[in-house]
Amino acid sequence: MRWHAVYRRFVLGRQYRFAREALVPHFFDALTAYALELSRLGIPQAGEAVVALRELRTLPLPSFTGEVEDVFFSIYAQLSEHWGEEVAGAIRRGLSRNDLDLTVFRAYLRDQVVALLGDFLRLREAVLQVAQSHAGVPLVLRTHHQPAQPSTLDHYLLGIAALLERDFRRLRRALDTLDRSPLGASALAGNPYPVDRARLAALLGFAGPVENTLDAVASGDYALELAAALGGMGASLSRFLTDLLFWAERGAFVVGESVSQGSSFMPQKRNPVVLEHARIYAGQLLGGMGTLAFLNHNTPFTDLNDHSTGVLEPLADLLERAEGAVELTRVALEESRFDPVLLLEELSPEVLASEAVDLLVRKGVPLGEAYRRVQGTLPGVRPERLGVEREELIAWMGLESFFARREVLGGVGPKAREEARKEAQRRLKEDGKDLAALRARVRLARRRLARGP
């Protein structure tokens, strides 16, 4: 068949090149798993097809010529040519490109998400390491863009670690949805042969099958869920990066030379551009949800290109940008340093004014009156106008006292911070074990499919 040049350029050729570059191993995995299951059922030539597929996967796949429309038919043509049409035809019994393609797409995306989660674990570890090495370093945090209260750098970073951990959880849940196999669903109504779909899923290293066969080929929400998780991660990273840029602007966060750039005109400049580039990548993740939503919006619930081939390249692009955002943020932390003096530059009596109110209340002054009395002494908090001894007020408003009074769960007190850090490290370790187990499951399945038991 001869396709129109425009169709070849924008559809067949483009999709073939992407599949040849990224999807071929997954096609061979899915076809081999299916042939193994047909062989178990006693389908003639299915066992020979397994041997043929394992040999063929070691050879390069031809480039797109237009003689066949996609990678599946390219593989099929080679099987037919070298092993005969009976062997090639065996793997097509009950198999549709609908369930095959969606299985391949999910397997490919699963690999990419697992790799991203590994990068994300390293970023979380870097945040916790910086928190540990800067334990107790005081700084002034802001609310509504104005100096608010003292905290410590590790307390701030533990807050960021908690935010990133939730993003990790959302991405992990999206992976749980993705980690289901459509294989065996056939076109939509189910396979006419009694294949064991749970066994097919296990052969491919999936957690299980997509149960309903129509849902297996019609659902696009796995892509929406993944895009939403990536968008949330992008939003969180951009907030963290904005804070780092704020401190970099004031010299409180000194970006390392290996990730900064100078100016073509101003010799004094050392620009913290790694943070800008990381934020660009993070910002681009926010648009992904819209793209994936539009690809699903107003489409009938059945197999369509809109939410099968249509979502694959946008998701691949989003995952690459997510990797850039995560890795650049991690490297920026590892290659840079904080300046403790400049972090505390905005410390003043005003940011501790609430402590003076609390002192008066503890002495029996009604809260409203205490608030007005302290507010009337500003700027500065003058003990003579508050009716307290200078030494008592200074001791009460000191940073050490401020922190010591805040030993609540998650607070800035030294014990609370240390407990929070240990708990965050424990959860990080558990997440690492979970991801390692998933990796091992997929790796073992793929090795068996490629080489045999």
Side-chain angles (χ1 to χ4, degrees):
M1 181 175 180
R2 192 163 177 82
W3 289 278
H4 194 286
V6 172
Y7 190 69
R8 285 165 53 115
R9 177 186 174 190
F10 288 102
V11 179
L12 299 181
R14 179 188 179 101
Q15 291 179 0
Y16 190 99
R17 285 190 294 274
F18 181 86
R20 185 171 183 263
E21 180 180 332
L23 305 180
V24 168
H26 302 291
F27 270 105
F28 276 107
D29 286 346
L31 289 169
T32 303
Y34 190 70
L36 282 166
E37 178 63 6
L38 292 183
S39 178
R40 187 184 70 84
L41 295 176
I43 301 299
Q45 306 297 320
E48 290 82 348
V50 172
V51 175
L53 287 164
R54 284 175 174 158
E55 184 175 341
L56 186 57
R57 74 184 297 155
T58 65
L59 305 176
L61 199 70
S63 300
F64 180 70
T65 63
E67 293 180 16
V68 294
E69 61 189 83
D70 60 20
V71 161
F72 167 71
F73 277 115
S74 180
I75 294 171
Y76 179 74
Q78 291 184 82
L79 285 174
S80 297
E81 180 181 352
H82 298 291
W83 282 274
E85 289 195 2
E86 288 189 4
V87 171
I91 63 169
R92 292 186 63 179
R93 295 177 69 164
L95 180 69
S96 167
R97 277 186 301 174
N98 295 2
D99 62 333
L100 174 65
D101 285 353
L102 268 298
T103 301
V104 167
F105 298 167
R106 283 175 178 251
Y108 164 74
L109 291 170
R110 178 183 59 185
D111 282 0
Q112 304 309 303
V113 175
V114 167
L116 177 60
L117 285 169
D119 293 336
F120 212 164
L121 281 175
R122 287 187 287 275
L123 172 59
R124 288 171 56 195
E125 183 178 11
V127 170
L128 292 176
Q129 285 177 346
V130 175
Q132 184 175 14
S133 63
H134 291 77
V137 173
L139 77 168
V140 174
L141 294 180
R142 293 180 160 217
T143 60
H144 303 286
H145 307 282
Q146 296 294 314
Q149 278 193 312
S151 183
T152 64
L153 183 54
D154 56 325
H155 184 244
Y156 168 83
L157 290 171
L158 287 169
I160 293 295
L163 176 64
L164 296 181
E165 183 179 327
R166 290 193 295 276
D167 287 311
F168 183 93
R169 296 267 180 273
R170 284 185 278 269
L171 191 57
R172 184 65 181 83
R173 285 194 293 271
L175 178 58
D176 285 339
T177 301
L178 184 65
D179 192 22
R180 295 279 162 175
S181 169
L183 197 59
S186 196
L188 61 82
N191 200 295
Y193 295 89
V195 296
D196 184 339
R197 295 190 58 226
R199 183 171 182 271
L200 285 171
L203 285 171
L204 288 162
F206 282 102
V210 181
E211 290 188 5
N212 182 277
T213 58
L214 173 59
D215 186 36
V217 300
S219 62
D221 60 306
Y222 73 90
L224 277 171
E225 187 177 354
L226 177 54
L230 292 172
M233 184 184 76
S236 298
L237 288 174
S238 71
R239 297 182 72 188
F240 182 32
L241 291 160
T242 295
D243 284 348
L244 293 177
L245 280 163
F246 171 81
W247 286 321
E249 179 183 340
R250 288 153 179 76
F253 183 65
V254 183
V255 172
E257 290 186 9
S258 64
V259 287
S260 61
Q261 290 179 244
S263 166
S264 62
F265 184 77
M266 297 166 284
Q268 81 280 9
K269 295 294 292 295
R270 183 167 144 185
N271 299 318
V273 290
V274 64
L275 302 176
E276 297 171 19
H277 288 298
R279 191 166 63 172
I280 288 169
Y281 279 123
Q284 288 168 339
L285 296 178
L286 299 177
M289 180 62 182
T291 300
L292 273 296
F294 283 125
L295 286 169
N296 279 267
H297 177 62
N298 274 354
T299 59
F301 189 68
T302 188
D303 178 69
L304 293 168
N305 282 310
D306 303 61
H307 43 74
S308 57
T309 55
V311 305
L312 193 59
E313 287 189 66
L315 283 174
D317 182 63
L318 284 174
L319 287 162
E320 182 180 1
R321 294 177 190 280
E323 180 187 9
V326 168
E327 286 287 85
L328 287 172
T329 303
R330 176 182 62 82
V331 168
L333 280 177
E334 293 175 346
E335 296 294 315
S336 307
R337 62 180 177 84
F338 288 93
D339 186 321
V341 174
L342 293 178
L343 282 174
L344 205 56
E345 191 176 34
E346 292 184 315
L347 182 65
S348 68
E350 286 76 21
V351 299
L352 289 157
S354 59
E355 298 307 286
V357 173
D358 186 47
L359 177 61
L360 294 181
V361 169
R362 290 175 188 247
K363 287 179 172 292
V365 179
L367 192 145
E369 180 184 340
Y371 189 94
R372 289 189 294 273
R373 193 184 296 180
V374 171
Q375 194 173 45
T377 71
L378 301 176
V381 180
R382 285 163 282 182
E384 65 276 8
R385 295 184 59 180
L386 298 178
V388 297
E389 295 294 326
R390 177 181 178 83
E391 291 75 14
E392 181 184 17
L393 184 62
I394 290 174
W396 182 264
M397 292 177 62
L399 288 179
E400 188 174 342
S401 299
F402 178 93
F403 298 146
R405 285 191 293 274
R406 286 163 168 82
E407 288 290 3
V408 297
L409 176 67
V412 75
K415 293 178 182 177
R417 286 186 280 113
E418 180 60 14
E419 285 301 314
R421 187 190 63 77
K422 287 180 179 178
E423 184 62 20
Q425 288 280 12
R426 183 192 66 77
R427 293 193 299 268
L428 179 68
K429 187 176 180 180
E430 289 301 312
D431 289 341
K433 289 180 180 178
D434 170 70
L435 190 61
L438 195 157
R439 270 204 193 103
R441 182 229 298 169
V442 174
R443 190 181 299 120
L444 179 60
R446 297 199 66 195
R447 186 184 304 122
R448 285 174 173 171
L449 287 170
R451 305 174 188 171

